Amino acid sequence: MKYMRPVLAALALTVTLGSYLALAQPQQQPAGGRGQQAPPPPMNFFVTSVAKGDGANYGGLAGADAHCQMLAQAAGRGGVKWVAYLSTQGPGAVYARDRIGGGPWYNARGGLVSMNQGQLHGDTIEQARVGNPIGKNSALTEKQTPVNGQGDMPNQHDILTGSMPDGRAFTDGMDHTCSNYTSNAAGMGTVQLGHSDKQGGGNSSWNSAHASRGCSQMNLIQTGGNGYLYCFAP
């Protein structure tokens, strides 16, 4: 028994020293855990930071898509296809919602813009009641900057869409697309506009707030915009 006491004391010292050394070692964080933040999702939505400058005349859908692609390229996201959120009218009408994929969509800072088509357009009563996350702080340009909105000088929150709230084309026979984005005529035709900040007027819809005063650049500015587009990567 007298020989056991030194053995037990040595064993206890070994255990204590081992525990101390283990605690002294730097602790590794599990992958994706605290201390290792995952990179934000890649941008697949933005509001154009500059307009073409020719009113609603973008040279049709192809020209509008090319404008989105050019700005995305300058922002380092040109490796994917980009399209403008625009509907057309007449034979073979195209719906904006059918051009942009199924989501989810993220802005230039990795912030969620909308999970899916239903949330984006309020397809159900509940989705329409809750609304989507689009607003001044989330509808950013490809440069990660907000668009001037209600209360800013100048107000530029009017975004060209040519669409009804559900993302589809108008069918009433009136021009809501400035001749499918080929006209810059003053006082002739209109284009349907959304509010990027969802503020102002009786209808604060992000994609179908009201019509422009006409199709010229000055008409768009006087209405409260600058000819900007919503761009999506489907």
Side-chain angles (χ1 to χ4, degrees):
M1 187 67 179
K2 65 180 179 180
Y3 298 108
M4 291 296 294
R5 289 176 181 172
V7 173
L8 293 174
L11 181 60
L13 179 61
T14 301
V15 172
T16 301
L17 180 60
S19 299
Y20 172 80
L21 291 174
L23 290 172
Q25 294 296 321
Q27 300 298 307
Q28 293 185 350
Q29 295 290 339
R34 186 176 179 183
Q36 290 187 345
Q37 293 184 350
M43 172 183 76
N44 57 357
F45 163 88
F46 66 88
V47 183
T48 55
S49 62
V50 295
K52 183 180 177 182
D54 193 21
N57 177 22
Y58 270 88
L61 287 182
D65 291 349
H67 189 70
C68 288
Q69 194 75 42
M70 175 187 69
L71 295 180
Q73 178 74 38
R77 278 286 287 155
V80 296
K81 177 185 177 182
W82 286 87
V83 298
Y85 182 92
L86 296 171
S87 295
T88 63
Q89 294 179 269
V94 174
Y95 297 164
R97 67 180 293 147
D98 292 343
R99 314 190 75 227
I100 64 173
W105 298 281
Y106 298 89
N107 64 25
R109 295 180 185 172
L112 179 67
V113 171
S114 188
M115 283 299 299
N116 49 50
Q117 287 273 3
Q119 184 186 45
L120 186 66
H121 293 102
D123 286 345
T124 68
I125 293 176
E126 180 61 17
Q127 288 170 329
R129 183 187 68 80
V130 175
N132 60 53
I134 289 179
K136 186 173 182 179
N137 293 328
S138 61
L140 304 177
T141 73
E142 78 284 355
K143 297 180 178 180
Q144 302 188 23
T145 56
V147 178
N148 277 11
Q150 187 76 9
D152 295 328
M153 293 296 291
N155 178 15
Q156 298 179 325
H157 68 178
D158 286 348
I159 313 298
L160 278 63
T161 70
S163 303
M164 296 190 296
D166 63 2
R168 296 181 171 90
F170 286 88
T171 58
D172 58 7
M174 308 218 17
D175 184 11
H176 298 275
T177 62
C178 286
S179 299
N180 289 334
Y181 317 103
T182 61
S183 173
N184 61 3
M188 296 181 62
T190 64
V191 60
Q192 191 72 2
L193 306 162
H195 286 171
S196 60
D197 59 351
K198 293 200 292 193
Q199 298 293 321
N203 179 355
S204 59
S205 170
W206 74 277
N207 68 338
S208 195
H210 57 78
S212 67
R213 295 184 181 182
C215 299
S216 72
Q217 186 68 19
M218 185 55 65
N219 288 151
L220 299 181
I221 292 172
Q222 290 172 340
T223 310
N226 197 38
Y228 296 145
L229 304 170
Y230 291 124
C231 300
F232 287 80

